Amino acid sequence: MKTLKKIILGIGIVIVLFLLVALFLPSQYHVERSIVINQPVHKVYPNVADLNNWIAWNPWTQMEPTAKSSVKGTGNEVGSVWSWEGKNIGVGSLTIKNIEPNKGIRSRLVFVEPQQFESDDIWQFEQVDEGTKVKWIMEGELNYPVNRYFGLFMDGMLGPDFEKGLANLKQISEQS
């Protein structure tokens, strides 16, 4: 009986520690990467502003080229939606919420599978001497308690994909 009490007490302590630590973890995350593309803004911007162009440079569609993908709307205006469904990349959508031509785009990213998750997808474009500085940002809320632990790994999980996508975008933009 004493052993059972110790096991239950140990499990209780682990649960309390798990919940307590989560209270002090960030409730939001922010992942950001940037690249300079040797082209003017007006040549780079359309490759991101039109969801129909994402398939050419997006790192996740390259991971699973056979995934189902569709764009509703024109692809380059507020309300346009890019949806996907695949075994590896899951099920989700990206909806354009705000556009500032040649300056920025804000979209809502919704993952349905393998895990439900929402975040903001933000693009910023700035003309610099070398061409165009492009920033790709993803940020969102982290639910208590489990997602706050995932927040510790978001930059490490998404950052390399952002870098690959930006390198692809650079290659495509500089070819035009």
Side-chain angles (χ1 to χ4, degrees):
M1 199 62 159
K2 286 184 179 183
T3 305
L4 182 59
K5 284 182 181 181
K6 286 182 183 180
I7 292 172
I8 292 172
L9 180 63
I11 292 171
I13 289 171
V14 168
I15 291 171
V16 167
L17 283 174
F18 177 82
L19 296 173
L20 188 61
V21 169
L23 282 172
F24 295 99
L25 293 175
S27 62
Q28 299 177 335
Y29 74 93
H30 179 96
V31 178
E32 179 177 321
R33 295 293 189 275
S34 64
I35 197 167
V36 174
I37 298 175
N38 299 319
Q39 287 287 355
V41 172
H42 73 273
K43 290 200 174 194
V44 177
Y45 175 81
N47 290 322
V48 179
D50 189 339
L51 297 175
N52 293 294
N53 295 333
W54 277 53
I55 292 172
W57 59 263
N58 185 292
W60 296 288
T61 53
Q62 290 180 345
M63 278 186 224
E64 190 174 0
T66 59
K68 294 177 187 175
S69 180
S70 66
V71 174
K72 292 180 184 156
T74 63
N76 63 355
E77 63 187 13
V78 173
S80 293
V81 180
W82 173 41
S83 300
W84 61 88
E85 182 177 342
K87 292 178 185 176
N88 299 325
I89 62 172
V91 177
S93 65
L94 182 73
T95 304
I96 298 175
K97 295 294 185 185
N98 188 8
I99 295 176
E100 274 189 82
N102 296 321
K103 293 188 179 185
I105 304 161
R106 181 177 284 269
S107 301
R108 190 67 177 164
L109 179 65
V110 176
F111 284 103
V112 179
E113 291 178 13
Q115 181 181 7
Q116 292 185 352
F117 200 77
E118 293 189 28
S119 60
D120 291 321
D121 190 70
I122 303 161
W123 290 85
Q124 297 173 346
F125 304 86
E126 177 187 353
Q127 191 72 47
V128 295
D129 291 340
E130 302 85 12
T132 302
K133 182 176 183 179
V134 179
K135 284 186 188 177
W136 189 2
I137 303 164
M138 187 179 292
E139 57 189 23
E141 299 291 323
L142 297 165
N143 294 331
Y144 174 83
V146 177
N147 282 349
R148 291 195 183 178
Y149 284 95
F150 284 119
L152 298 172
F153 306 102
M154 292 298 277
D155 192 80
M157 290 187 308
L158 293 174
D161 289 338
F162 279 26
E163 292 164 8
K164 183 177 181 182
L166 287 168
N168 293 341
L169 179 63
K170 179 179 175 76
Q171 182 181 16
I172 286 170
S173 297
E174 289 179 354
Q175 287 175 356
S176 59

